[in-house]
Amino acid sequence: MTGQLMKNWRQPSILPGFGLTLGYTITYLTLIILIPLAALVLRTASLGWTDFFAVVMDERTQLALRISFGAALIAALVNVVFGVIVAWVLVRYQFPGRRLLDAVVDLPFALPTAVAGIALAALYAKNGWIGGLLDPLGIKVAFTPLGIVFALIFIGLPFVVRTVQPVMEELDREVEEAAATLGASRFQTIRRVVLPSLTPAILTGFALAFARAVGEYGSVIFIAGNIPYVSEIAPLLIVIRLEEFNYAGATAIASIMLLISFAMLLFINLLQMWSRRRYANVR
């Protein structure tokens, strides 16, 4: 019996190299992700529950976390709406300059975040091209939480577009034509035929844009103004604590961000799995 089990265990797989690739994957993930996260948790644990909750309940920390996650959530929601529209235009329409517009979507990927932050701050300042037009209307963007949202929209849009675009290209247009033949309006076709098939990709794009926005630093600090209790983001507060040599406090804030981000991304992934199963059952 034992010999038969050993024989089955040693039987070569259809895809060779499983043991080597699995070992490489585990080693890589351990060195790059698990060990740093474990060090973060252990350093935070050195605070003790009393000091940890003191950091959590600090008003400055709570406001910084609220600004970071609130701005990231708003920016991701805005990017979902306009990202889907941009992907729809790029896939469904042919027009002069389409390839150029398609390339411009990837600009936030290639542009250094500090450069993006300086450019946005110059545009939306009171004496900037756009800020000068908004200031007489009483709308202030630069050095406010609104400026943070604008910066996060800028860096998060490509994630939604590039996630939805390939799925949209593979959609069968005959299904839409059949819906129109059966009397469905254009709005009904989009709501009942197109959007259900795009929902998993939209949720994935939302999760990527949100995760990218939560940890953004370079493009935000220049336009945020970094005013404590007003426009200070949590990553900047972590840097401030490190400059004060308060390493335990910095890791405590980072641990809080990690827990909140993990919980929100887990919820988004569960929602995505439910959406895929629901769409598969409908089909």
Side-chain angles (χ1 to χ4, degrees), residues 60 64 67-68 117 121 140-148 151 216-240 243:
R60 186 175 179 181
I67 291 173
S68 291
K140 186 178 180 181
V141 177
F143 316 127
T144 66
L146 182 60
I148 298 175
E216 180 59 22
Y217 180 79
S219 63
V220 174
I221 56 173
F222 293 101
I223 195 173
N226 311 318
I227 305 173
Y229 304 99
V230 178
S231 60
E232 187 178 53
I233 59 174
L236 177 62
L237 186 57
I238 293 174
V239 174
I240 292 174
E243 291 176 347

Side-chain angles (χ1 to χ4, degrees), residues 75-89:
L77 291 174
V78 172
N79 280 328
V80 163
V81 176
F82 291 98
V84 173
I85 294 175
V86 172
W88 180 273
V89 171

Side-chain angles (χ1 to χ4, degrees), residues 53-101:
F53 281 112
V55 174
V56 174
M57 301 306 296
D58 181 67
E59 183 182 1
R60 186 175 179 181
T61 302
Q62 289 188 354
L63 288 175
L65 291 171
R66 187 181 305 170
I67 291 173
S68 291
F69 284 95
L73 182 61
I74 294 173
L77 291 174
V78 172
N79 280 328
V80 163
V81 176
F82 291 98
V84 173
I85 294 175
V86 172
W88 180 273
V89 171
L90 292 176
V91 172
R92 293 302 178 93
Y93 299 103
Q94 298 293 332
F95 53 91
R98 175 179 170 274
R99 292 182 180 273
L100 178 61
L101 180 61

